[in-house]
Amino acid sequence: MAPDLELEGLVEPAELEQQRRPLRSCCRKAAVGLVLASALLLVAGGITHWASDTKRSAASSPEDSKQILREFSEFVAAGGANDNVTRVLFIGNSFTFRNELPAQLEHIAASLGRKVEWSMSALGGCSLYGQTGFRNAMTAQLMMQDWDFIVLQDYSALTAFSATRDKYFYPAIREVIAQKKRAKVVLYMTWAYADGLQNACLPEASFKTKLLGCWPLGDLHESLQAECLRDNQSTTVASFPCMGYALARGYTSALSLTEADLVSPAGLAWQVVKGIKSIPSDCKAAIDQQFPGVTMDMAFPPILNVTDFPPLDLNIWDLTLWDKHASIVGQYLNALTMYATLFGESPVGAAPPVCSELCFLTNYTHTGPGPLTPPLADATVLKLQHAAAGVVEWCGADCKRRSPWIR
Protein backbone atom coordinates (compact mmCIF):
# COMPACT_ATOMS: atom_id res chain seq x y z
CA MET A 1 0.00 0.00 0.00
CA ALA A 2 1.44 3.36 -1.02
CA PRO A 3 1.90 5.94 1.70
CA ASP A 4 -0.75 8.65 1.94
CA LEU A 5 1.18 11.55 0.49
CA GLU A 6 -1.41 14.22 1.08
CA LEU A 7 -1.18 13.72 4.83
CA GLU A 8 2.57 13.95 5.20
CA GLY A 9 3.17 15.28 8.67
CA LEU A 10 -0.49 15.88 9.46
CA VAL A 11 -1.21 13.11 11.94
CA GLU A 12 -2.44 15.44 14.65
CA PRO A 13 -4.37 18.72 14.36
CA ALA A 14 -1.81 20.40 16.59
CA GLU A 15 0.85 19.68 14.02
CA LEU A 16 -1.01 21.71 11.41
CA GLU A 17 0.39 24.70 13.21
CA GLN A 18 3.83 25.80 12.18
CA GLN A 19 6.46 24.14 14.30
CA ARG A 20 9.01 26.42 15.84
CA ARG A 21 11.58 25.73 18.51
CA PRO A 22 13.32 28.64 20.22
CA LEU A 23 17.05 28.87 19.97
CA ARG A 24 18.36 26.88 22.90
CA SER A 25 20.35 28.09 25.89
CA CYS A 26 22.33 31.33 25.68
CA CYS A 27 20.99 32.43 22.30
CA ARG A 28 17.37 32.91 23.34
CA LYS A 29 16.41 36.47 22.61
CA ALA A 30 16.94 38.89 25.43
CA ALA A 31 14.59 41.85 25.77
CA VAL A 32 15.59 44.58 23.35
CA GLY A 33 15.81 47.18 26.08
CA LEU A 34 18.15 45.03 28.15
CA VAL A 35 20.39 44.46 25.16
CA LEU A 36 20.60 48.15 24.40
CA ALA A 37 21.21 49.06 28.01
CA SER A 38 23.88 46.40 28.43
CA ALA A 39 25.67 46.96 25.15
CA LEU A 40 27.40 50.19 26.07
CA LEU A 41 28.55 48.72 29.38
CA LEU A 42 29.96 45.63 27.71
CA VAL A 43 31.65 47.08 24.65
CA ALA A 44 34.66 48.52 26.43
CA GLY A 45 35.32 45.38 28.44
CA GLY A 46 34.48 43.23 25.42
CA ILE A 47 36.98 45.01 23.22
CA THR A 48 39.61 44.67 25.91
CA HIS A 49 38.92 40.94 26.28
CA TRP A 50 38.83 40.48 22.49
CA ALA A 51 42.02 42.47 22.00
CA SER A 52 43.73 40.34 24.62
CA ASP A 53 42.49 37.12 23.01
CA THR A 54 43.49 38.20 19.53
CA LYS A 55 46.75 39.87 20.62
CA ARG A 56 45.56 43.23 19.31
CA SER A 57 47.52 46.32 20.36
CA ALA A 58 45.89 49.57 21.44
CA ALA A 59 44.69 51.91 18.71
CA SER A 60 47.21 54.57 17.83
CA SER A 61 45.05 56.59 15.42
CA PRO A 62 41.37 57.23 14.54
CA GLU A 63 41.68 54.84 11.59
CA ASP A 64 43.07 52.15 13.86
CA SER A 65 40.14 52.69 16.21
CA LYS A 66 37.64 52.28 13.37
CA GLN A 67 39.37 49.10 12.21
CA ILE A 68 39.32 47.66 15.73
CA LEU A 69 35.61 48.42 16.08
CA ARG A 70 34.87 46.81 12.71
CA GLU A 71 36.78 43.66 13.62
CA PHE A 72 35.20 43.56 17.05
CA SER A 73 31.72 43.79 15.49
CA GLU A 74 32.55 40.81 13.27
CA PHE A 75 33.89 38.99 16.32
CA VAL A 76 30.60 39.53 18.23
CA ALA A 77 28.47 38.57 15.20
CA ALA A 78 30.40 35.31 14.91
CA GLY A 79 29.68 34.49 18.54
CA GLY A 80 33.11 35.20 19.97
CA ALA A 81 36.37 33.29 19.74
CA ASN A 82 35.65 31.20 22.84
CA ASP A 83 31.95 30.61 22.23
CA ASN A 84 32.31 27.01 21.02
CA VAL A 85 28.62 26.92 20.14
CA THR A 86 27.32 25.74 16.78
CA ARG A 87 24.07 27.41 15.76
CA VAL A 88 21.79 25.52 13.41
CA LEU A 89 18.52 26.57 11.75
CA PHE A 90 16.28 23.80 10.41
CA ILE A 91 13.73 24.50 7.67
CA GLY A 92 11.61 21.53 6.61
CA ASN A 93 8.49 19.58 7.51
CA SER A 94 7.53 16.55 9.57
CA PHE A 95 10.56 14.60 8.32
CA THR A 96 12.52 17.10 10.42
CA PHE A 97 10.32 17.60 13.48
CA ARG A 98 8.72 14.16 13.88
CA ASN A 99 10.80 12.36 16.51
CA GLU A 100 12.99 15.40 16.95
CA LEU A 101 15.91 15.53 14.55
CA PRO A 102 17.19 18.87 15.96
CA ALA A 103 16.96 17.77 19.59
CA GLN A 104 18.60 14.42 18.82
CA LEU A 105 21.46 16.27 17.10
CA GLU A 106 21.84 18.49 20.17
CA HIS A 107 21.85 15.40 22.41
CA ILE A 108 24.47 13.59 20.31
CA ALA A 109 26.69 16.66 20.13
CA ALA A 110 26.51 17.25 23.89
CA SER A 111 27.54 13.67 24.57
CA LEU A 112 30.62 14.23 22.39
CA GLY A 113 31.59 17.51 24.01
CA ARG A 114 30.02 19.93 21.54
CA LYS A 115 27.28 22.49 22.13
CA VAL A 116 24.55 22.89 19.52
CA GLU A 117 21.85 25.53 19.69
CA TRP A 118 19.04 25.37 17.19
CA SER A 119 15.76 26.78 15.99
CA MET A 120 13.27 25.41 13.50
CA SER A 121 10.61 26.54 11.05
CA ALA A 122 8.75 23.44 9.89
CA LEU A 123 5.21 22.76 8.77
CA GLY A 124 3.84 19.28 8.15
CA GLY A 125 3.05 18.47 4.52
CA CYS A 126 4.81 21.55 3.20
CA SER A 127 7.28 22.10 0.39
CA LEU A 128 10.54 23.87 1.17
CA TYR A 129 9.62 26.52 -1.41
CA GLY A 130 6.52 27.40 0.56
CA GLN A 131 8.61 28.01 3.67
CA THR A 132 11.52 30.16 2.54
CA GLY A 133 11.89 33.64 3.94
CA PHE A 134 10.40 35.05 0.74
CA ARG A 135 6.98 33.54 1.59
CA ASN A 136 6.98 32.63 5.26
CA ALA A 137 7.13 35.32 7.95
CA MET A 138 8.53 33.03 10.62
CA THR A 139 11.35 31.82 8.39
CA ALA A 140 12.05 35.41 7.34
CA GLN A 141 12.43 36.41 10.97
CA LEU A 142 14.75 33.52 11.72
CA MET A 143 16.84 34.22 8.61
CA MET A 144 17.70 37.65 10.05
CA GLN A 145 19.75 35.92 12.74
CA ASP A 146 23.29 34.59 12.39
CA TRP A 147 23.66 30.84 11.93
CA ASP A 148 26.56 28.49 11.36
CA PHE A 149 24.42 26.06 9.35
CA ILE A 150 20.98 26.21 7.74
CA VAL A 151 19.60 22.71 7.17
CA LEU A 152 17.03 22.36 4.37
CA GLN A 153 14.63 19.45 3.87
CA ASP A 154 12.02 19.25 1.14
CA TYR A 155 8.83 17.21 0.79
CA SER A 156 9.68 13.52 0.79
CA ALA A 157 8.77 12.60 -2.81
CA LEU A 158 9.41 15.97 -4.45
CA THR A 159 13.15 15.61 -5.03
CA ALA A 160 12.72 12.26 -6.82
CA PHE A 161 11.25 13.88 -9.95
CA SER A 162 12.87 16.31 -12.37
CA ALA A 163 9.71 18.38 -12.88
CA THR A 164 9.33 19.19 -9.19
CA ARG A 165 13.05 19.62 -8.57
CA ASP A 166 13.17 22.28 -11.29
CA LYS A 167 9.95 23.93 -10.19
CA TYR A 168 10.33 23.83 -6.42
CA PHE A 169 13.56 22.36 -5.01
CA TYR A 170 16.36 24.24 -6.74
CA PRO A 171 14.59 27.64 -6.62
CA ALA A 172 13.90 27.20 -2.89
CA ILE A 173 17.57 26.54 -2.17
CA ARG A 174 18.59 29.61 -4.15
CA GLU A 175 16.15 31.75 -2.18
CA VAL A 176 17.60 30.59 1.13
CA ILE A 177 21.13 31.21 -0.12
CA ALA A 178 20.15 34.77 -1.04
CA GLN A 179 19.32 35.45 2.63
CA LYS A 180 21.77 33.20 4.47
CA LYS A 181 24.49 35.64 5.60
CA ARG A 182 27.57 33.61 6.62
CA ALA A 183 25.85 30.26 7.18
CA LYS A 184 26.65 27.11 5.25
CA VAL A 185 23.60 25.57 3.61
CA VAL A 186 23.16 21.85 4.27
CA LEU A 187 20.69 19.69 2.35
CA TYR A 188 19.12 16.95 4.47
CA MET A 189 18.81 13.96 2.11
CA THR A 190 15.71 12.07 3.19
CA TRP A 191 15.03 8.34 2.87
CA ALA A 192 12.94 6.18 0.56
CA TYR A 193 9.58 4.83 1.63
CA ALA A 194 9.65 1.27 2.97
CA ASP A 195 8.18 -0.14 -0.27
CA GLY A 196 9.07 2.74 -2.54
CA LEU A 197 6.49 4.80 -4.41
CA GLN A 198 4.62 2.90 -7.07
CA ASN A 199 4.26 5.79 -9.54
CA ALA A 200 4.02 9.54 -9.91
CA CYS A 201 0.21 9.61 -9.90
CA LEU A 202 0.02 11.29 -6.53
CA PRO A 203 -3.11 12.51 -4.77
CA GLU A 204 -3.84 16.17 -4.31
CA ALA A 205 -2.33 17.92 -1.31
CA SER A 206 -4.68 18.56 1.57
CA PHE A 207 -6.77 21.70 1.51
CA LYS A 208 -5.16 22.81 4.74
CA THR A 209 -1.61 22.71 3.42
CA LYS A 210 -2.72 24.61 0.31
CA LEU A 211 -4.43 27.18 2.50
CA LEU A 212 -1.21 27.60 4.48
CA GLY A 213 0.71 28.40 1.30
CA CYS A 214 2.72 25.18 1.09
CA TRP A 215 2.23 24.70 -2.66
CA PRO A 216 2.15 28.13 -4.32
CA LEU A 217 3.11 26.72 -7.75
CA GLY A 218 0.72 23.76 -7.67
CA ASP A 219 0.94 20.54 -5.67
CA LEU A 220 2.62 17.29 -6.71
CA HIS A 221 -0.60 15.98 -8.24
CA GLU A 222 -0.68 18.95 -10.59
CA SER A 223 3.08 19.11 -11.16
CA LEU A 224 3.61 15.45 -12.05
CA GLN A 225 0.83 14.80 -14.56
CA ALA A 226 3.31 14.22 -17.41
CA GLU A 227 5.40 11.83 -15.30
CA CYS A 228 2.23 10.04 -14.22
CA LEU A 229 1.45 9.18 -17.83
CA ARG A 230 4.89 7.75 -18.63
CA ASP A 231 5.01 3.98 -18.62
CA ASN A 232 8.56 3.75 -17.32
CA GLN A 233 8.19 6.36 -14.58
CA SER A 234 7.21 3.84 -11.93
CA THR A 235 10.52 2.02 -12.37
CA THR A 236 12.38 5.02 -10.93
CA VAL A 237 10.69 5.02 -7.54
CA ALA A 238 8.84 1.71 -7.19
CA SER A 239 11.16 0.09 -4.63
CA PHE A 240 13.18 1.15 -1.61
CA PRO A 241 16.57 1.08 -3.39
CA CYS A 242 15.23 2.77 -6.55
CA MET A 243 13.49 5.58 -4.69
CA GLY A 244 16.56 5.94 -2.49
CA TYR A 245 18.77 6.38 -5.55
CA ALA A 246 16.38 8.95 -7.05
CA LEU A 247 16.47 10.96 -3.82
CA ALA A 248 20.26 10.69 -3.56
CA ARG A 249 20.71 11.96 -7.09
CA GLY A 250 18.17 14.71 -6.53
CA TYR A 251 19.84 16.05 -3.40
CA THR A 252 23.43 15.75 -4.59
CA SER A 253 22.61 17.35 -7.94
CA ALA A 254 21.65 20.53 -6.12
CA LEU A 255 25.26 21.12 -5.10
CA SER A 256 26.24 21.75 -8.71
CA LEU A 257 23.03 23.55 -9.67
CA THR A 258 22.85 25.87 -6.67
CA GLU A 259 25.42 27.18 -4.21
CA ALA A 260 24.44 24.86 -1.36
CA ASP A 261 27.48 23.68 0.56
CA LEU A 262 26.84 20.19 1.89
CA VAL A 263 24.49 17.21 1.73
CA SER A 264 23.81 15.16 4.84
CA PRO A 265 23.24 11.69 3.34
CA ALA A 266 20.75 10.24 5.82
CA GLY A 267 19.01 8.38 3.01
CA LEU A 268 22.25 6.51 2.28
CA ALA A 269 22.51 5.44 5.92
CA TRP A 270 19.06 3.87 5.66
CA GLN A 271 20.20 1.85 2.64
CA VAL A 272 23.14 0.52 4.66
CA VAL A 273 21.13 -0.37 7.77
CA LYS A 274 18.48 -2.12 5.67
CA GLY A 275 21.20 -4.19 4.01
CA ILE A 276 20.66 -3.06 0.41
CA LYS A 277 23.47 -4.42 -1.75
CA SER A 278 22.39 -3.50 -5.29
CA ILE A 279 19.98 -1.46 -7.36
CA PRO A 280 18.04 -2.71 -10.40
CA SER A 281 19.80 -1.55 -13.55
CA ASP A 282 16.60 -0.40 -15.28
CA CYS A 283 15.64 2.07 -12.57
CA LYS A 284 19.21 3.31 -12.24
CA ALA A 285 19.39 4.02 -15.97
CA ALA A 286 16.00 5.76 -15.98
CA ILE A 287 17.02 7.95 -13.04
CA ASP A 288 20.41 8.81 -14.54
CA GLN A 289 18.67 10.08 -17.68
CA GLN A 290 17.15 12.86 -15.57
CA PHE A 291 20.59 14.35 -14.91
CA PRO A 292 22.29 15.11 -18.23
CA GLY A 293 25.74 16.48 -17.60
CA VAL A 294 25.50 16.02 -13.81
CA THR A 295 27.59 13.12 -12.57
CA MET A 296 27.66 11.27 -9.26
CA ASP A 297 31.00 9.66 -8.51
CA MET A 298 30.04 7.46 -5.58
CA ALA A 299 28.73 3.96 -6.08
CA PHE A 300 25.16 3.30 -4.96
CA PRO A 301 24.16 1.74 -2.66
CA PRO A 302 27.05 2.25 -0.23
CA ILE A 303 28.88 -0.93 0.73
CA LEU A 304 30.47 -0.55 4.16
CA ASN A 305 32.32 -2.86 6.51
CA VAL A 306 29.56 -2.47 9.09
CA THR A 307 26.99 -5.19 8.38
CA ASP A 308 24.63 -7.67 10.03
CA PHE A 309 22.27 -5.18 11.59
CA PRO A 310 19.54 -6.72 13.72
CA PRO A 311 15.97 -6.06 12.53
CA LEU A 312 15.37 -2.37 13.26
CA ASP A 313 12.19 -0.40 12.82
CA LEU A 314 13.52 2.73 11.15
CA ASN A 315 9.97 3.74 10.21
CA ILE A 316 6.95 4.10 12.48
CA TRP A 317 4.58 1.13 12.19
CA ASP A 318 1.03 2.46 11.80
CA LEU A 319 -1.58 -0.27 12.33
CA THR A 320 -1.27 -2.06 8.96
CA LEU A 321 1.69 -0.54 7.15
CA TRP A 322 5.00 1.20 7.57
CA ASP A 323 4.46 4.92 7.83
CA LYS A 324 6.92 7.03 5.86
CA HIS A 325 8.10 8.92 8.95
CA ALA A 326 11.18 7.95 10.92
CA SER A 327 10.90 6.17 14.24
CA ILE A 328 13.02 7.36 17.14
CA VAL A 329 15.72 4.94 15.97
CA GLY A 330 15.45 6.13 12.37
CA GLN A 331 15.67 9.77 13.40
CA TYR A 332 18.63 8.97 15.65
CA LEU A 333 20.40 7.51 12.60
CA ASN A 334 19.59 10.71 10.70
CA ALA A 335 20.95 12.85 13.54
CA LEU A 336 24.17 10.82 13.68
CA THR A 337 24.61 11.40 9.95
CA MET A 338 23.90 15.10 10.41
CA TYR A 339 26.51 15.31 13.16
CA ALA A 340 29.17 13.68 10.97
CA THR A 341 28.26 16.06 8.13
CA LEU A 342 28.31 19.29 10.13
CA PHE A 343 31.40 18.60 12.19
CA GLY A 344 33.38 16.42 9.81
CA GLU A 345 34.04 13.87 12.52
CA SER A 346 32.73 10.46 13.50
CA PRO A 347 29.79 10.20 15.92
CA VAL A 348 31.13 6.92 17.28
CA GLY A 349 30.92 7.05 21.06
CA ALA A 350 27.80 9.26 21.18
CA ALA A 351 25.02 8.66 23.67
CA PRO A 352 22.11 6.42 22.61
CA PRO A 353 18.80 7.95 21.45
CA VAL A 354 16.46 9.77 23.79
CA CYS A 355 13.18 11.61 23.48
CA SER A 356 13.48 15.28 24.40
CA GLU A 357 9.84 16.40 24.49
CA LEU A 358 7.27 14.34 22.55
CA CYS A 359 7.99 11.30 20.40
CA PHE A 360 5.91 8.79 18.44
CA LEU A 361 6.08 5.04 18.82
CA THR A 362 4.33 2.11 17.14
CA ASN A 363 0.78 2.97 15.98
CA TYR A 364 1.50 6.60 16.80
CA THR A 365 1.29 6.18 20.54
CA HIS A 366 3.13 8.97 22.35
CA THR A 367 6.01 8.97 24.75
CA GLY A 368 7.43 11.84 26.74
CA PRO A 369 10.99 12.80 27.65
CA GLY A 370 13.43 10.03 28.45
CA PRO A 371 15.50 7.21 26.96
CA LEU A 372 14.18 4.77 24.40
CA THR A 373 12.31 1.87 26.01
CA PRO A 374 13.42 -0.84 25.65
CA PRO A 375 16.87 0.56 24.99
CA LEU A 376 18.90 -0.40 21.97
CA ALA A 377 21.72 -2.83 22.63
CA ASP A 378 25.09 -1.13 22.90
CA ALA A 379 26.36 -3.10 19.91
CA THR A 380 23.44 -1.86 17.80
CA VAL A 381 24.01 1.76 18.82
CA LEU A 382 27.64 1.38 17.82
CA LYS A 383 26.70 -0.09 14.44
CA LEU A 384 24.36 2.83 13.74
CA GLN A 385 27.15 5.26 14.59
CA HIS A 386 29.61 3.49 12.29
CA ALA A 387 26.98 3.44 9.50
CA ALA A 388 26.46 7.21 9.79
CA ALA A 389 30.19 7.92 9.78
CA GLY A 390 30.69 5.50 6.90
CA VAL A 391 28.10 6.98 4.53
CA VAL A 392 29.38 10.52 5.05
CA GLU A 393 32.86 9.32 4.11
CA TRP A 394 31.45 7.21 1.27
CA CYS A 395 29.54 10.12 -0.23
CA GLY A 396 32.73 12.18 -0.15
CA ALA A 397 32.95 14.87 -2.83
CA ASP A 398 29.40 14.13 -4.00
CA CYS A 399 28.14 15.58 -0.71
CA LYS A 400 30.30 18.73 -0.80
CA ARG A 401 30.20 21.74 -3.04
CA ARG A 402 33.49 21.72 -4.86
CA SER A 403 34.82 25.04 -3.67
CA PRO A 404 38.19 25.76 -2.08
CA TRP A 405 36.74 26.52 1.37
CA ILE A 406 34.81 23.24 1.57
CA ARG A 407 37.08 20.39 2.59
Side-chain angles (χ1 to χ4, degrees), residues 23-40:
L23 189 61
R24 297 297 180 95
S25 193
C26 72
C27 283
R28 290 191 174 96
K29 285 187 176 179
V32 173
L34 179 60
V35 171
L36 293 175
S38 301
L40 293 176

Side-chain angles (χ1 to χ4, degrees), residues 7-323:
L7 296 179
E8 175 163 315
L10 300 179
V11 172
E12 294 193 338
E15 288 176 355
L16 291 171
E17 298 300 323
Q18 190 154 17
Q19 303 295 306
R20 180 180 179 182
R21 296 294 182 270
L23 189 61
R24 297 297 180 95
S25 193
C26 72
C27 283
R28 290 191 174 96
K29 285 187 176 179
V32 173
L34 179 60
V35 171
L36 293 175
S38 301
L40 293 176
L41 295 175
L42 293 175
V43 164
I47 291 179
T48 302
H49 175 73
W50 163 78
S52 174
D53 277 357
T54 57
K55 303 299 187 293
R56 292 286 306 193
S57 59
S60 57
S61 71
E63 287 304 313
D64 285 343
S65 297
K66 291 178 182 178
Q67 179 65 21
I68 287 175
L69 285 172
R70 280 195 297 268
E71 293 180 15
F72 177 66
S73 297
E74 294 171 357
F75 170 83
V76 171
N82 297 316
D83 198 351
N84 293 324
V85 175
T86 300
R87 297 172 178 83
V88 185
L89 172 61
F90 292 86
I91 306 173
N93 60 30
S94 55
F95 271 39
T96 293
F97 68 74
R98 182 69 45 79
N99 284 330
E100 309 180 330
L101 173 68
Q104 291 221 45
L105 173 66
E106 180 186 10
H107 165 70
I108 289 165
S111 72
L112 295 173
R114 290 186 177 272
K115 187 174 184 180
V116 168
E117 295 173 346
W118 57 270
S119 194
M120 174 170 63
S121 181
L123 182 64
C126 213
S127 70
L128 178 64
Y129 187 84
Q131 294 191 93
T132 72
F134 285 79
R135 268 160 225 96
N136 184 286
M138 181 177 294
T139 303
Q141 181 183 9
L142 290 168
M143 291 293 292
M144 294 174 67
Q145 301 178 30
D146 286 319
W147 305 98
D148 295 299
F149 298 100
I150 299 174
V151 176
L152 306 180
Q153 174 256 315
D154 214 330
Y155 191 91
S156 59
L158 185 151
T159 58
F161 300 101
S162 58
T164 44
R165 284 192 301 268
D166 294 340
K167 187 186 223 180
Y168 272 116
F169 185 48
Y170 303 139
I173 297 168
R174 294 185 187 111
E175 289 187 353
V176 172
I177 288 170
Q179 295 182 318
K180 75 182 183 69
K181 298 185 179 181
R182 65 184 181 88
K184 286 180 178 162
V185 172
V186 181
L187 308 179
Y188 168 30
M189 181 199 296
T190 54
W191 52 95
Y193 302 161
D195 297 314
L197 180 64
Q198 298 310 303
N199 56 51
C201 302
L202 305 181
E204 293 186 35
S206 69
F207 172 76
K208 291 176 180 177
T209 57
K210 288 183 177 180
L211 186 66
L212 291 168
C214 288
W215 301 99
L217 305 178
D219 65 12
L220 298 187
H221 174 78
E222 298 167 298
S223 301
L224 295 174
Q225 286 302 298
E227 282 78 359
C228 175
L229 298 174
R230 293 177 190 167
D231 292 338
N232 71 334
Q233 186 63 36
S234 63
T235 65
T236 65
V237 290
S239 67
F240 179 78
C242 290
M243 186 176 180
Y245 184 64
L247 294 174
R249 292 237 52 187
Y251 273 94
T252 56
S253 70
L255 294 179
S256 61
L257 297 174
T258 73
E259 293 186 0
D261 297 293
L262 299 165
V263 170
S264 181
L268 299 185
W270 283 53
Q271 298 282 329
V272 169
V273 173
K274 286 179 173 283
I276 303 302
K277 303 297 185 185
S278 62
I279 178 174
S281 58
D282 58 342
C283 81
K284 184 178 185 302
I287 292 166
D288 286 339
Q289 288 177 5
Q290 298 180 25
F291 300 92
V294 180
T295 61
M296 189 171 79
D297 295 334
M298 69 170 170
F300 183 96
I303 306 298
L304 307 182
N305 291 330
V306 54
T307 56
D308 301 324
F309 283 89
L312 291 172
D313 295 343
L314 298 183
N315 299 87
I316 300 172
W317 178 257
D318 188 15
L319 298 178
T320 61
L321 75 162
W322 290 111
D323 185 83

